[in-house]
Amino acid sequence: MININKDEILETINMIDTEHLDVRTITMGISLFDCITDDITRLCDKIYDKLTFCAKNLVSTGEEIEKIYGIPIINKRVSVTPISLVGSNISSEDYVKIAKTLDRAADTLGINFIGGYGALVQKGYTVGAKRLIESIPEALSTTNRVCSSVNVASTKAGINMDAVRDMGKIIKRTAELTKDNESIGCAKLVVFANVPEDNPFMAGAFHGMGEADCAINVGVSGPGVVSSAIKKAGDCDITELAEVVKKTAFKITRMGQLVAREASARLNAPFGIVDLSLAPTPAVGDSVAHILEAMGLETCGACGTTACLALLNDAVKKGGVMASSHVGGLSGAFIPVSEDAGMINAVESGCLTLEKLEAMTAVCSVGLDMIAVPGDTPADVISALIADEIAIGVVNTKTTAVRVIPAIGKGIGDSVHFGGLLGDAPVMRINTASPAKFISRGGRVPAPIHSLKN
């Protein structure tokens, strides 16, 4: 039981009303291992039946909790076992049938996204994983709510450069197949290193192999709350600033814990984790970039940005761990360009570049996220961008990811317009000096020496 006094209730109401505090998502993770069968028609039927049974009350339960506690719950989502493990060595065409089944189930349930159409290939390909990855462009171009993720590296295994090479081509093909809709397929596809198995946020959510048959994971967000707290703190020193962020993150996480436990009880599913990730939106006042500027930067991207982000990310994690014994997922600060009004302004002013963003990913929660680049960017350049970002994750034993949109038909200075939480992405300059020979080598980048901890 969580004890909350009157002052905390009033403070939370103010956070919700004026500072954009919300539960970004309740995500139900569902295992599909018991659906496995050699018959593709039967497999699809079993997947649909299990999803629509287990998550049948997910949306209505979220809405009930919203009414009872007055806490906005923006998204209700489902994540599933990585589909390459469920489909095994079926054909790429049959994998697309599974994607359409997932989409149909999502539509029936009324959720906004379903994650898990992906593969774990950090050390090599299975037949099934290879075929699923080949199917991703068609799967994402023929569905609306399916999200895909591929883990190509880990600190323990190193980097699968064959997969890195292939994902550049997959991303380009996905962009081309969805070019009539701003290449939106790429906004539903993310490439990971050290992927967490309990992340409730899309597009990277999936239900890990070590998870229960079903679990409730909640993602809480509150960039506006943190920004407001920093402004109220005034001209304090850095140590005090870190304490302000930590205490604010504690309060936000307590709210997420309340919602998670309530949803778990009502849905009769185990409580998994609370993910405290400062996930921004395009709304004014809901920006991670504006938090960094409130710390004292003229604009995000200025010298000092990486240091400010490191402080923010660490304090958020410490505050979250104080508030809940089950903090997981990514938990920290996200820096998705298209979803953050402050990031967009910094890019458009020329202060925030792709190179600076890459430096920032060494200390944030995810990586190069929701970044648009010119549509004619070669596939090997995209692969090399992935390799750089994934290397940061592997060497630093942290999760990193790339969600990049080659905006077909657009160039530097143009924008892609997704709307909603996905926002608008200015097309950024990317260095196109050729890495083709390096990328074509394939093979594996060995795991770093500090991975040998047994």
Side-chain angles (χ1 to χ4, degrees):
M1 177 65 68
I2 299 174
N3 296 314
I4 302 176
N5 63 39
K6 182 179 72 174
D7 290 339
E8 287 180 305
I9 292 172
L10 293 174
E11 185 177 34
T12 302
I13 290 171
N14 181 62
M15 290 176 179
I16 292 169
D17 286 345
T18 65
E19 297 170 354
H20 304 281
L21 176 62
D22 59 53
V23 170
R24 189 57 49 87
T25 179
I26 294 178
T27 300
M28 176 179 280
I30 301 173
S31 172
L32 299 182
F33 282 125
D34 56 349
C35 297
I36 295 174
T37 175
D38 290 336
D39 185 306
I40 182 61
T41 300
R42 180 68 180 139
L43 175 59
C44 289
D45 288 345
K46 291 178 75 174
I47 289 173
Y48 179 84
D49 290 345
K50 182 164 189 183
L51 293 177
T52 53
F53 174 76
C54 290
K56 61 180 181 293
N57 296 321
L58 178 62
V59 172
S60 60
T61 296
E63 292 170 347
E64 288 170 6
I65 294 172
E66 281 185 284
K67 291 176 183 177
I68 292 170
Y69 293 103
I71 298 170
I73 300 173
I74 307 303
N75 299 299
K76 295 82 178 176
R77 298 165 171 171
V78 168
S79 63
V80 300
T81 308
I83 292 298
S84 68
L85 302 178
V86 177
S88 187
N89 63 349
I90 63 174
S91 68
S92 292
E93 291 76 16
D94 284 343
Y95 271 116
V96 173
K97 292 178 183 177
I98 295 179
K100 292 179 178 178
T101 298
L102 296 175
D103 202 49
R104 183 163 60 93
D107 185 62
T108 299
L109 294 169
I111 58 177
N112 68 320
F113 285 123
I114 185 165
Y117 191 80
L120 308 175
V121 296
Q122 56 267 28
K123 206 169 183 179
Y125 281 132
T126 62
V127 172
K130 181 73 170 175
R131 289 175 178 172
L132 181 138
I133 289 171
E134 290 170 349
S135 77
I136 287 173
E138 184 178 355
L140 296 185
S141 65
T142 57
T143 60
N144 295 316
R145 306 176 196 223
V146 172
C147 291
S148 180
S149 62
V150 179
N151 193 69
V152 300
S154 71
T155 299
K156 194 71 176 176
I159 305 174
N160 181 349
M161 289 300 294
D162 292 330
V164 170
R165 176 197 60 214
D166 294 344
M167 287 311 299
K169 299 173 184 176
I170 293 297
I171 290 169
K172 281 284 289 190
R173 180 63 178 154
T174 303
E176 290 163 357
L177 289 181
T178 57
K179 63 182 180 182
D180 292 337
N181 191 16
E182 303 280 49
S183 299
I184 196 170
C186 297
K188 300 184 290 176
L189 172 59
V190 57
V191 183
F192 273 106
N194 293 319
V195 66
E197 298 190 0
D198 54 6
N199 165 32
F201 287 100
M202 300 295 170
F206 70 93
H207 192 62
M209 291 180 287
E211 299 288 311
D213 191 60
C214 185
I216 296 296
N217 299 318
V218 167
V220 185
S221 185
V225 178
V226 176
S227 181
S228 177
I230 291 172
K231 290 174 183 175
K232 290 175 184 176
D235 296 327
C236 60
D237 68 19
I238 296 297
T239 303
E240 290 182 61
L241 201 61
E243 283 296 308
V244 167
V245 175
K246 186 170 70 174
K247 290 175 181 178
T248 305
F250 174 83
K251 296 171 186 176
I252 295 170
T253 307
R254 278 168 64 89
M255 184 195 74
Q257 175 99 339
L258 173 69
V259 170
R261 291 203 176 278
E262 186 72 19
S264 173
R266 288 170 175 264
L267 292 166
N268 194 30
F271 162 46
I273 56 94
V274 176
D275 183 323
L276 174 60
S277 288
L278 297 181
T281 72
V284 175
D286 202 24
S287 162
V288 170
H290 290 161
I291 296 175
L292 306 180
E293 290 162 6
M295 289 181 177
L297 301 177
E298 181 179 356
T299 185
C300 179
C303 292
T305 295
T306 305
C308 287
L309 184 59
L311 182 154
L312 173 66
N313 211 53
D314 179 67
V316 164
K317 290 179 185 290
K318 288 174 178 173
V321 170
M322 287 170 60
S324 173
S325 296
H326 298 292
V327 171
L330 296 162
S331 288
F334 287 6
I335 52 171
V337 172
S338 78
E339 300 171 14
D340 188 309
M343 295 284 179
I344 293 170
N345 291 338
V347 170
E348 291 177 339
S349 70
C351 192
L352 184 59
T353 65
L354 194 52
E355 289 78 11
K356 184 61 176 178
L357 277 166
E358 183 180 302
M360 292 164 66
T361 64
V363 299
C364 79
S365 283
V366 192
L368 295 171
D369 195 16
M370 288 301 289
I371 291 168
V373 297
D376 59 0
T377 303
D380 54 49
V381 171
I382 294 173
S383 292
L385 180 72
I386 293 169
D388 283 344
E389 185 59 33
I390 294 310
I392 291 173
V394 168
V395 172
N396 291 286
T397 319
K398 70 183 293 292
T399 300
T400 52
V402 175
R403 187 162 46 148
V404 61
I405 302 102
I408 304 300
K410 297 191 176 184
I412 299 167
D414 294 330
S415 292
V416 292
H417 307 284
F418 299 121
L421 285 176
L422 295 177
D424 303 316
V427 178
M428 300 182 70
R429 185 193 67 81
I430 184 170
N431 188 336
T432 56
S434 179
K437 186 173 181 180
F438 169 65
I439 293 300
S440 68
R441 290 178 183 274
R444 275 170 46 210
V445 174
I449 189 65
H450 59 256
S451 69
L452 302 177
K453 294 182 178 180
N454 289 347

